[in-house]
Amino acid sequence: MLAFLANSLTNFVIGILVAKYLGPGEYGRFAIAFSIVGVVQTALFDWMRLAATRFYSEKVRENQPVVRASLDLSFVVVTCGLALATLLYALFGPKLDFDSTLILLALAIAAVNGLFDYLIALVRARFEDQLFWRLVLGKNVLSLVLTGGGAFLFHSAAVAMEGVIASLLGTVIAARASLTDRHAQSHFARRNMAATLAAYSAPIVAAHLIYQAVPLATRAVVADVFDFAETGQFALAFDLGMRAILALGSALDVLLFQIAVAAHENHGDDEARWQVGRNMAVVLAVLLPGCVGVYFIMPSIELLIVPGQFRGPFGHYLSLLLPGLFSMGMILFAVNPVFQIAKKTGPMIAAALAGALAGVVLFFLLPWGEDASNLALAQCGVYVVALLATLAFAAREKPIWPRLRDLGASVAATLGMAGALASMQDLAPGFVTLVAQICVGALAYGALTFVFDTAGLRGELMGWAKSRRQPV
């Protein structure tokens, strides 16, 4: 969990540095290019990461080398296919209304980042914490120097993206000996195994692809209606907000989902369903106060963290997007595991399509103004409706839901925290105010969570404390 938080914090810092030194206009180009990365990586490579997370383990590594071998060969085949398609389009395709260099770099990042995420998933599945730390630390150090440094020295989106590629490749090459699996030689690969793994992941990938396409579409519209500078303002709010959500969610998911998978493997379906229900309560207990807390400390965040060129629009857009970011986090880390454990992932596509349809309706209904507020609300609406649809489809799987008292306790504790923070709204934004708000909010929420014993967290905490007091 600490590795995920450190990784997310570093990515957060790099994002701020890139935005600061590129400026709104160039960052707008950078943001559109990275939206292309998200779409391409999700469409072509994400199924391997998902399959590794769900079906790979130390036991599988020893007894079923066909799984790793099939995934490895699939990556090579998909990457070669992407390279060939890119070459053919460069030679014979129509000219696009965007920088071709940034598009080519985006395709390269999609492949390299797809490889890195796939390898990280394999390491996670084997619970090799030391190797995981080495990979994350190496990538973060290189990315901070090469990506942040490239933006600082050249103020160029292209150079910053080249830094991303170099940092990812450098990390993988440096750790290649530890990442190679001698059991999974290429002759073990089987087409039917790859097809089975891809079939499991396909609905999840399709749903994620829709979610990834939404920011790309909105950024393209903002650039067309306004300019790249407004795109940069709009994108930074979403990017940093989503990174914060992914930081919290991924830090939980790295433990919670693997526990649910282990429960399914060792104790059967009922135990796994119970664990997924408890996981939902834990995720809600973290994401809900996190999003509400961000709203209350926004003025100090803008003053202390956000680059000067982005202040004002950043807080405005992020406030509009917060309900959608919360909804997206709940979809990814709380509700989707219901389908993943049951291996019935098809409804995830329908939920994503429902959200996308709601976004299109909002796009046409919401009035235009002097900025892209209507697009922020439309994008937020996509994720909110998708969460409601995902919950409705999940109910058909007859899951073991979290206890109502746990859900109510999370809401009540968050309201108590909000009341405490609301009384501090008149304080001048700054470092002292931010520290005071974080301390007051954490104490208020933590105390109420302890009193209510939300999701059994009080018992977990007391058990951990008792174990720490016992002599070794």
Side-chain angles (χ1 to χ4, degrees), residues 52-70:
T53 301
R54 180 64 182 87
F55 296 105
Y56 193 69
S57 64
E58 189 61 38
K59 184 188 297 185
V60 171
R61 182 189 191 188
E62 296 292 336
N63 300 323
Q64 295 179 273
V66 62
V67 174
R68 172 73 186 268
S70 300

Side-chain angles (χ1 to χ4, degrees), residues 3 16 37 53 110-111 114 143-144 159 163 166 173 220 222 267 292 302 326 329-330 344 353 418 468:
I16 292 173
V37 172
T53 301
S143 186
L144 189 62
V159 174
I173 292 171
V222 174
H267 303 289
V292 173
E302 277 204 295
F326 166 77
M330 290 297 295
K344 298 178 182 179
L353 286 173
R468 297 285 293 179

Side-chain angles (χ1 to χ4, degrees), residues 162-217:
E162 289 166 359
V164 174
I165 296 172
S167 62
L168 290 166
L169 277 179
T171 304
V172 172
I173 292 171
R176 65 189 182 280
S178 300
L179 296 170
T180 302
D181 189 348
R182 59 183 176 82
H183 299 283
Q185 300 174 17
S186 59
H187 64 84
F188 286 117
R190 294 292 183 271
R191 180 181 299 178
N192 61 340
M193 174 58 71
T196 299
L197 296 173
Y200 159 78
S201 302
I204 306 175
V205 168
H208 288 185
L209 187 59
I210 295 170
Y211 295 134
Q212 290 285 355
V214 170
L216 176 59

